[in-house]
Amino acid sequence: MATNEEITGPISQEDIEAADKLKNEANEYFKKQSYNNAIELYSKAIEKNPKNAVYFANRSIANLRLENFGYALSDASKAIELDRAYTKAYYRRAAAYMSLGKYKLALKDFEFVTKVRPNDQDAKMKYTECNKIVKKIAFEKAISVDKKEVNIADSINLDAMTIEDEYVGPALEDGKVTLKFVTELMEFYKQQKKLHKKYAYKILIDVKAYLQKQPSLVDIKVADEAKFTVCGDIHGQYYDLMNIFKLNGLPSETNPYLFNGDFVDRGSFSVECIFTLFSFKLLFPDHFYMSRGNHETLDMNRMYGFRGEVSSKYTSQMADLFTEVYNWLPLAHCINSRVMVMHGGLFSKDDVTLDDIRKVDRNKQPPEDGIMCELLWSDPQPMMGRAPSKRGVGCQFGPDVTNTFLQRNGLDYVIRSHEVKNDGYEVAHDGKCITVFSAPNYCDTMGNLGAFITMNGKDLKPNFTTYEAVPHPDVKPMAYANSFFNMLCQ
């Protein structure tokens, strides 16, 4: 970015004062969790005075809150460039690095602060905590290499798990999910009770076995007069998931659903959400579909709460098993060969076909580029062409990219999720790219509506139902998130 002198010479006192006023207004929006408005005003402050590191650091934390990790990283780096001694900017950049799974780079920032401020106890503590995470991850990787051939699902001994007499919750029948089981499970969860670990493990093992047989792109057939529902991110908001079923009916063979990724993380009822969804998957395998999202990944689960929640409610071994299961979730679905549904978006290249997606080897953590990464991470933009991702992963794609992809593959439009929208949905790219987001008042702070899409098989015209958040027990979002990461993002 060019400095102000290169454009207009020295910054006037009037611009300095105006910038500071804009920054103060932005801070008020930030306190109200109105992050987009805050970013807009921080940006205006930067236009007036591009030499103030605080404005960039403040915009960085607002972008972090919106999961715009790429922008957050860029802003924090600019703040450091402007003021090498600005500790907060290093912390912001470290949080952005950690969000992107780049823990060693985060550690370097903490290390730098401890060197320039050797008596700063807070810096020393942050360096120590980050170092623990880096060492723990290195240890986990070493173990996974040693145990490369170990399949967690195969190593679980269900017969050794006894159902205690005092357990009065839902039970599988002959080891199978039934409608009675899932109905009782949903009520049980509303009372904040826990499914027995034997049944929980059995569900995971059975879901994995089913998903392993599925292609990376699943074709869905919907009859002309049949209804089909697509839901976006749920993010551990169990009571809002129950509200979707109240508004739209329970999943069944005559009421099929597709949940489009990000079932977990952020919200603190992720375990309840995922076991309910997996139960419906086993009950109606050909009428209930689930796509992988960017939060069905190890790095996200480690930072944003799911791994901590599973370890707290069950065991770290079960958290590892979830990682194994998530690796087999399909990456995309295609409805009646006309509507493509994926969590994130389209690609950095124009030549991607549906067959290319079908051939993706998905049994892994997503790479940092390529088809799998972009299906989980990319976002649309209003401008033509492509741009680097605001998230630091995937790409941003314009209406021309969407049109080219649709024409190449004989499709009508795409549905994706991945982004909070005030109305719960957004229709972009001349109606060809639709975003649906199903977690209302995301993280108890965003104030957005949730939405889901219904259509019939004949015309596949999207109809939108929106709804507000419903009350939930007093467990805050991110309650199980990495405490050190939470502290950095304050």
Side-chain angles (χ1 to χ4, degrees):
M1 177 178 173
T3 65
N4 216 52
E5 290 105 327
E6 289 167 339
I7 302 167
T8 59
I11 303 162
S12 69
Q13 187 60 33
E14 187 184 352
D15 278 346
I16 289 170
E17 288 171 8
D20 220 42
K21 189 176 176 216
L22 286 162
K23 182 262 290 182
N24 292 336
E25 285 178 44
N27 288 351
E28 290 307 309
Y29 276 114
F30 184 88
K31 285 176 195 167
K32 296 174 193 165
Q33 284 102 25
S34 185
Y35 303 121
N36 281 312
N37 287 330
I39 287 167
E40 193 178 329
L41 287 167
Y42 288 134
S43 299
K44 286 180 179 174
I46 287 165
E47 282 173 27
K48 295 279 185 190
N49 181 6
K51 288 185 144 189
N52 191 315
V54 172
Y55 305 161
F56 286 97
N58 285 9
R59 192 169 70 177
S60 177
I61 185 68
N63 272 308
L64 269 171
R65 295 287 175 87
L66 292 176
E67 297 189 18
N68 296 338
F69 309 131
Y71 286 175
L73 186 61
S74 173
D75 277 342
S77 294
K78 183 65 183 176
I80 289 165
E81 183 188 312
L82 290 167
D83 183 354
R84 300 288 294 173
Y86 187 22
T87 309
K88 196 172 274 188
Y90 288 93
Y91 293 166
R92 298 286 181 258
R93 189 165 73 176
Y97 277 138
M98 290 177 76
S99 299
L100 291 164
K102 299 180 187 295
Y103 306 103
K104 287 181 180 175
L105 289 172
L107 186 62
K108 276 186 180 175
D109 278 341
F110 292 125
E111 188 177 23
F112 179 83
V113 176
T114 58
K115 280 179 179 171
V116 296
R117 302 180 67 165
N119 298 321
D120 187 330
Q121 292 305 310
D122 181 58
K124 203 172 284 183
M125 182 273 291
K126 287 183 166 75
Y127 171 78
T128 304
E129 287 302 311
C130 188
N131 200 25
K132 280 183 194 169
I133 293 170
V134 169
K135 284 182 174 173
K136 186 181 177 196
I137 291 166
F139 178 67
E140 286 171 1
K141 278 187 179 168
I143 289 175
S144 69
V145 170
D146 290 343
K147 298 183 176 177
K148 205 181 272 184
E149 304 308 316
V150 173
N151 181 314
I152 296 167
D154 291 345
S155 70
I156 304 293
N157 184 356
L158 291 172
D159 293 334
M161 296 181 195
T162 55
I163 309 290
E164 298 80 8
D165 291 342
E166 56 267 29
Y167 177 74
V168 291
L172 297 175
E173 295 175 33
D174 296 324
K176 303 278 190 223
V177 170
T178 60
L179 185 57
K180 177 175 182 283
F181 169 83
V182 73
T183 306
E184 288 179 3
L185 180 66
M186 289 186 291
E187 289 305 312
F188 200 60
Y189 279 155
K190 284 179 191 172
Q191 298 161 32
Q192 291 184 271
K193 294 180 178 175
K194 189 174 79 173
L195 178 66
H196 194 280
K197 69 177 180 181
K198 182 169 185 171
Y199 301 134
Y201 272 114
K202 180 72 165 82
I203 287 168
L204 289 176
I205 291 165
D206 287 356
V207 164
K208 184 190 171 193
Y210 179 87
L211 293 175
Q212 280 179 292
K213 298 171 188 167
Q214 300 303 294
S216 290
L217 169 64
V218 173
D219 288 288
I220 300 172
K221 298 295 175 204
V222 182
D224 281 1
E225 301 310 316
K227 169 186 158 187
F228 191 82
T229 302
V230 180
C231 296
D233 303 38
I234 298 297
H235 275 301
Q237 296 184 199
Y238 178 73
Y239 296 84
D240 295 307
L241 173 62
M242 291 299 98
N243 190 39
I244 292 172
F245 292 153
K246 183 179 175 185
L247 294 170
N248 195 53
L250 287 178
S252 69
E253 291 179 355
T254 55
N255 193 26
Y257 278 81
L258 164 56
F259 279 83
N260 196 28
D262 282 14
F263 323 113
V264 300
D265 276 339
R266 295 284 194 178
S268 295
F269 303 97
S270 292
V271 163
E272 291 78 2
C273 286
I274 195 63
F275 277 120
T276 300
L277 295 172
F278 276 165
S279 295
F280 275 119
K281 180 64 193 166
L282 291 172
L283 185 60
F284 302 117
D286 299 325
H287 300 87
F288 191 88
Y289 303 91
M290 297 171 72
S291 296
R292 190 175 188 176
N294 65 302
H295 277 268
E296 280 70 56
T297 56
L298 182 56
D299 280 334
M300 292 290 110
N301 293 167
R302 193 183 267 129
M303 284 296 118
Y304 288 96
F306 182 64
R307 192 170 177 83
E309 185 180 341
V310 177
S311 300
S312 171
K313 292 178 180 177
Y314 291 99
T315 63
S316 58
Q317 180 199 44
M318 185 182 284
D320 291 337
L321 178 54
F322 266 109
T323 300
E324 204 171 271
V325 175
Y326 287 162
N327 283 352
W328 286 106
L329 282 165
L331 303 177
H333 293 77
C334 192
I335 304 169
N336 287 359
S337 303
R338 287 170 56 196
V339 179
M340 168 95 161
V341 189
M342 79 295 282
H343 178 73
L346 297 179
F347 312 101
S348 53
K349 295 178 180 173
D350 277 334
D351 58 357
V352 177
T353 66
L354 298 186
D355 272 345
D356 292 330
I357 299 168
R358 286 188 183 97
K359 291 172 189 167
V360 171
D361 173 16
R362 70 184 186 278
N363 179 26
K364 59 188 174 188
Q365 292 302 296
E368 290 193 9
D369 53 26
I371 290 174
M372 181 177 179
C373 166
E374 289 158 357
L375 283 167
L376 302 187
W377 279 97
S378 290
D379 295 291
Q381 63 178 18
M383 303 79 72
M384 292 291 185
R386 294 178 174 89
S389 170
K390 61 189 177 184
R391 300 175 190 267
V393 190
C395 71
Q396 290 179 192
F397 59 97
D400 53 331
V401 176
T402 299
N403 268 328
T404 300
F405 176 78
L406 295 176
Q407 286 173 16
R408 176 176 285 274
N409 291 285
L411 299 168
D412 295 354
Y413 64 95
V414 297
I415 297 175
R416 41 89 62 183
S417 302
H418 196 38
E419 286 183 287
V420 184
K421 298 296 176 187
N422 285 338
D423 296 326
Y425 71 95
E426 182 180 77
V427 180
H429 295 183
D430 301 317
K432 302 291 178 64
C433 180
I434 296 172
T435 298
V436 60
F437 191 86
S438 302
N441 194 25
Y442 181 46
C443 290
D444 287 358
T445 60
M446 299 298 279
N448 61 291
L449 295 175
F452 56 81
I453 297 170
T454 53
M455 61 184 79
N456 66 46
K458 188 172 186 180
D459 61 23
L460 299 177
K461 178 175 174 283
N463 303 292
F464 303 97
T465 301
T466 63
Y467 48 91
E468 294 183 346
V470 297
H472 64 75
D474 188 21
V475 183
K476 300 287 182 250
M478 301 280 282
Y480 299 93
N482 183 291
S483 57
F484 173 59
F485 178 69
N486 259 350
M487 183 172 61
L488 276 181
C489 288
Q490 295 312 306

